[in-house]
């Protein structure tokens, strides 16, 4: 930690060194027009792929598509890359693109507060103070593990840990193990644990839909071909992209595509599970797509193993080694693994960002004081272009409100937002030139009306999707308002078309727009 009382100043500060933060940093480094830093609370880059190291962790998007279009990787080992390989890809990006000197590791954001007089962000971190004209959050939605609220959890006498904080020092050989949850992490994890544990109990609140995983190893000839013929690599990426785009129709309530997808998933279940009791317990009771559809060829066979029990009942309480279910069934366990997901609709970093207040040019006339981003999002996340928020000048959010996908690659969305932010930065630069770099130049704040209209449009588009009509409880929906705030309610290419180019019109009242006029 620096001991100096002065603040380090750069033009742009990025929070997080996962896919989004590194992608933004790579863009800025290549353009070489803005000074920037990346603040990372961990000791290395990688984001969720650094943190999640549980057995079986892998991507469910094809490798060629789950990588930067501007930094393709011809030698992925498999169609669906293992997590460790993705983490290494990100380390290579940071190293080879020269980003490491621009990253401040072990530096956690404690508060970011807008200074209206100086038109900049003041950041307090665990590694010292910083100021920046522009703040970009790239913390992601899979960065804060969500722990279940279970009476007595702290009393568990064995080892208890979340999948995102895997205990590699704990051997599961010959032990009684419980896994709480049946989402994406659990479906990847269960087969590996089933081979080690003497007894495995899977606690299921609701059954997932699972479809076949068409994975395989890439041959040496294929990897050589991708390396020697970049156009072949681009063609493979394009093929995967457009095939995935067809999947959005599966998210529309009552569509023929959704029915076909449901038949595929249930057919997969019936083929792999013969026991009618187990098959019934593993059959979802909601519409396909309401929750994330998973990919696996070995989860159902693992459930059928003699040492594995699927319990279709949530955990009600814990007392020492004993786990009690809502059904009344009890199990004594040695290890409890929490595959309970992440905080996705209420992002923890939002409470640490303080925007403009009533004394800071209160353009909307609400008379209120400074509010946190969490206050602004008290009824669910909102942002114009899924990136900028009224009341928070020069703040850009990557992978925030309605900027994720349920059918295609998240990297597509990240790159689109990076393009939007790069356009905004270029717009600011023109304002700085016109005003001679005054303290009040370069301030971009989207109007409240633009944010509200954009949000209303997305809410209307979400209304006909299975995310809201499918009869499930999912991490896509904010429980405070019932709004679907996580996913883009359309194909990925429509997000690119709508939000891929910065448009200054919704920022009409900003200092930067007035200056250019």
């Amino acid at each position: 930690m620096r001991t100096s009382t002065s603040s380090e100043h750069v033009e742009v500060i990025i929070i997080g060194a996962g896919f989004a933060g590194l992608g933004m940093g790579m863009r800025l480094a290549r353009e070489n027009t803005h000074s920037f830093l990346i603040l990372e609370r961990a000791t290395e880059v990688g984001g969720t792929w650094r943190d999640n190291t549980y057995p079986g962790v892998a991507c469910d998007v094809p490798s060629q598509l789950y990588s930067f279009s501007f930094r393709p990787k011809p030698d992925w080992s498999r169609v669906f890359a293992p997590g460790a390989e993705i983490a290494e890809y990100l380390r290579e990006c940071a190293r080879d693109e020269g980003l490491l000197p621009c990253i401040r590791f072990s530096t956690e954001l404690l508060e970011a507060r807008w200074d209206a007089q100086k038109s900049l962000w003041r950041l307090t971190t665990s590694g010292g103070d910083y100021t920046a004209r522009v703040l970009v959050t790239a913390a992601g939605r899979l960065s804060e593990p969500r722990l279940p609220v279970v009476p007595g959890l702290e009393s568990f006498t064995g080892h208890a840990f979340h999948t995102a904080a895997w205990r590699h020092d704990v051997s599961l050989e010959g032990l009684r193990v419980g896994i709480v949850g049946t989402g994406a992490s659990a479906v990847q994890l269960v087969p590996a644990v089933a081979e080690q544990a003497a007894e495995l109990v899977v606690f299921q609140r609701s059954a997932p839909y699972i479809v076949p995983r068409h994975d395989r190893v890439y041959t040496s000839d294929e990897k050589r071909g991708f390396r020697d013929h970049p156009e072949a690599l681009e063609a493979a990426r394009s093929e995967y992209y457009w095939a995935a785009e067809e999947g959005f129709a599966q998210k529309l309530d009552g569509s023929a595509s959704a029915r076909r997808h449901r038949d595929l998933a249930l057919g997969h279940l019936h083929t792999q599970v013969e026991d009618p009791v187990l098959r019934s317990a593993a059959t979802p009771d909601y519409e396909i797509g309401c929750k994330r559809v998973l990919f696996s060829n070995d989860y159902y066979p693992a459930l059928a193993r003699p040492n594995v029990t699927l319990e279709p009942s949530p955990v009600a309480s814990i007392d020492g080694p004993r786990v009690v279910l809502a059904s009344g069934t009890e199990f004594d366990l040695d290890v409890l693994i929490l595959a309970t997901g992440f905080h996705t609709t209420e992002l923890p970093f939002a409470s640490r960002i303080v925007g403009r207040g009533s004394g800071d040019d209160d353009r909307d006339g609400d008379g209120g004081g400074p509010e946190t981003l969490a206050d602004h999002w008290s009824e669910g996340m909102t942002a114009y272009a899924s990136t900028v928020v009224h009341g928070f000048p020069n703040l850009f959010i990557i992978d925030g409100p309605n900027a994720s996908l349920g059918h295609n690659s998240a990297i597509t969305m990240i790159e689109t937002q990076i393009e939007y932010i790069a356009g905004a930065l270029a717009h600011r630069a023109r304002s700085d030139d016109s005003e001679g770099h005054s303290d009040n130049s370069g301030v971009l704040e989207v109007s409240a009306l633009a944010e509200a209209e954009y949000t209303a449009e997305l809410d209307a588009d979400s209304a006909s999707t299975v995310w809201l009509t499918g009869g499930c409880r999912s991490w896509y929906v904010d429980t405070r308002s019932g709004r679907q705030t996580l996913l883009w309610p359309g194909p990925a290419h429509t997000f690119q078309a709508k939000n891929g180019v910065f448009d200054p019109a919704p920022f009409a009242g900003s200092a930067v727009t007035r200056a250019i006029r």
Side-chain angles (χ1 to χ4, degrees):
M1 179 182 294
R2 296 194 309 276
T3 57
S4 171
T5 57
S6 62
S7 299
E8 184 173 357
H9 178 77
V10 290
E11 293 176 82
V12 181
I13 283 183
I14 302 164
I15 306 298
F19 257 108
L22 293 179
M24 189 74 244
M26 289 163 65
R27 176 62 176 263
L28 293 176
R30 291 184 179 194
E31 290 186 346
N32 195 29
T33 55
H34 297 82
S35 60
F36 72 94
L37 289 174
I38 300 174
L39 307 186
E40 170 56 55
R41 66 182 179 181
T43 57
E44 63 178 346
V45 304
T48 191
W49 298 106
R50 173 200 60 230
D51 297 339
N52 286 270
T53 59
Y54 59 83
V57 61
C59 191
D60 58 9
V61 174
S63 310
Q64 308 295 359
L65 194 54
Y66 199 79
S67 47
F68 293 118
S69 64
F70 50 83
R71 190 177 172 87
K73 177 178 168 64
D75 59 345
W76 288 110
S77 65
R78 312 184 62 88
V79 172
F80 296 99
E85 190 174 7
I86 299 173
E88 177 57 29
Y89 169 76
L90 291 173
R91 288 192 291 268
E92 290 176 359
C93 288
R95 181 180 63 249
D96 297 348
E97 296 282 338
L99 295 183
L100 292 178
C102 302
I103 303 176
R104 300 292 183 266
F105 291 108
S106 301
T107 302
E108 181 175 2
L109 175 68
L110 303 178
E111 182 185 78
R113 182 177 291 268
W114 176 251
D115 183 333
Q117 291 186 337
K118 296 295 185 181
S119 297
L120 51 74
W121 285 96
R122 295 191 179 278
L123 281 71
T124 303
T125 81
S126 61
D129 297 335
Y130 298 84
T131 59
R133 295 292 180 193
V134 173
L135 178 62
V136 179
T137 67
R141 68 189 187 283
L142 303 180
S143 59
E144 296 289 343
R146 184 181 61 211
L147 301 179
V149 179
V150 176
L153 177 60
E154 70 285 351
S155 75
F156 185 68
T157 52
H159 297 289
F161 49 90
H162 194 277
T163 50
W166 191 262
R167 290 283 304 276
H168 291 278
D169 61 323
V170 176
S171 173
L172 304 181
E173 290 289 341
L175 300 184
R176 301 166 298 176
V177 180
I179 295 179
V180 181
T182 52
S185 297
V187 165
Q188 293 181 342
L189 176 65
V190 163
V193 174
E195 292 182 357
Q196 302 176 50
E199 175 187 351
L200 171 61
V201 185
V202 179
F203 302 115
Q204 171 186 280
R205 184 181 294 272
S206 62
Y209 280 99
I210 301 174
V211 296
R213 183 181 182 84
H214 300 298
D215 191 20
R216 65 175 181 82
V217 172
Y218 279 120
T219 66
S220 297
D221 287 343
E222 285 176 305
K223 289 185 279 189
R224 188 180 305 110
F226 287 142
R227 183 195 65 205
D228 296 342
H229 303 282
E231 70 279 4
L233 182 57
E234 176 57 32
R237 182 184 179 93
S238 179
E239 182 178 352
Y240 281 127
Y241 174 84
W242 289 109
E245 283 290 77
E246 295 178 3
F248 178 73
Q250 300 163 0
K251 314 305 178 187
L252 299 177
D253 187 25
S255 69
S257 183
R259 291 193 295 272
R260 289 192 296 270
H261 203 211
R262 183 175 185 272
D263 290 344
L264 173 65
L266 294 182
H268 186 51
L269 169 62
H270 280 243
T271 297
Q272 292 203 312
V273 178
E274 295 182 358
D275 180 0
V277 176
L278 177 58
R279 183 188 295 169
S280 175
T283 299
D285 60 358
Y286 53 89
E287 290 301 316
I288 191 167
C290 185
K291 291 189 175 189
R292 183 176 176 181
V293 178
L294 308 179
F295 299 82
S296 179
N297 298 329
D298 53 5
Y299 175 71
Y300 288 142
L303 293 184
R305 291 173 60 111
N307 66 322
V308 177
T309 300
L310 176 66
E311 280 292 334
S313 177
V315 176
S317 64
I318 296 174
D319 183 10
R322 183 155 298 174
V323 176
V324 182
L325 306 187
S327 64
T329 307
E330 300 180 357
F331 293 90
D332 284 347
L333 300 175
D334 304 305
V335 178
L336 190 62
I337 300 170
L338 308 175
T340 47
F342 300 84
H343 290 283
T344 56
T345 56
E346 297 182 52
L347 302 180
F349 73 80
S351 64
R352 304 183 183 192
I353 298 179
V354 184
R356 173 182 57 78
S358 60
D360 304 334
D361 185 17
D362 187 23
R363 300 186 192 96
D364 54 12
D366 60 8
E371 67 172 358
T372 66
L373 189 57
D375 293 332
H376 190 82
W377 287 348
S378 61
E379 295 185 0
M381 296 187 295
T382 60
Y384 176 77
S386 298
T387 307
V388 290
V389 180
H390 176 68
F392 296 82
N394 291 1
L395 171 67
F396 299 89
I397 302 164
I398 303 179
D399 204 9
N402 299 106
S404 301
L405 292 172
H407 69 285
N408 210 326
S409 174
I411 313 306
T412 297
M413 307 293 275
I414 288 171
E415 290 190 9
T416 301
Q417 292 189 282
I418 290 172
E419 192 68 29
Y420 182 90
I421 296 169
L425 294 178
H427 191 73
R428 284 189 67 258
R430 290 193 292 272
S431 170
D432 282 346
D433 290 340
S434 67
E435 290 202 357
H437 300 277
S438 70
D439 284 344
N440 292 322
S441 67
V443 176
L444 277 171
E445 180 182 351
V446 74
S447 72
L449 178 61
E451 183 182 338
E453 290 181 342
Y454 180 89
T455 300
E457 180 182 347
L458 298 193
D459 286 350
D461 290 343
S462 294
S464 61
T465 67
V466 290
W467 306 321
L468 293 179
T469 65
C472 76
R473 177 184 175 185
S474 82
W475 50 283
Y476 304 147
V477 177
D478 192 302
T479 56
R480 298 168 298 179
S481 62
R483 292 181 51 243
Q484 190 284 112
T485 60
L486 203 68
L487 301 178
W488 176 251
H493 70 269
T494 63
F495 184 86
Q496 293 171 299
K498 189 177 184 68
N499 297 321
V501 177
F502 177 76
D503 176 11
F507 300 80
S510 297
V512 62
T513 307
R514 294 196 302 267
I516 292 178
R517 287 177 177 176

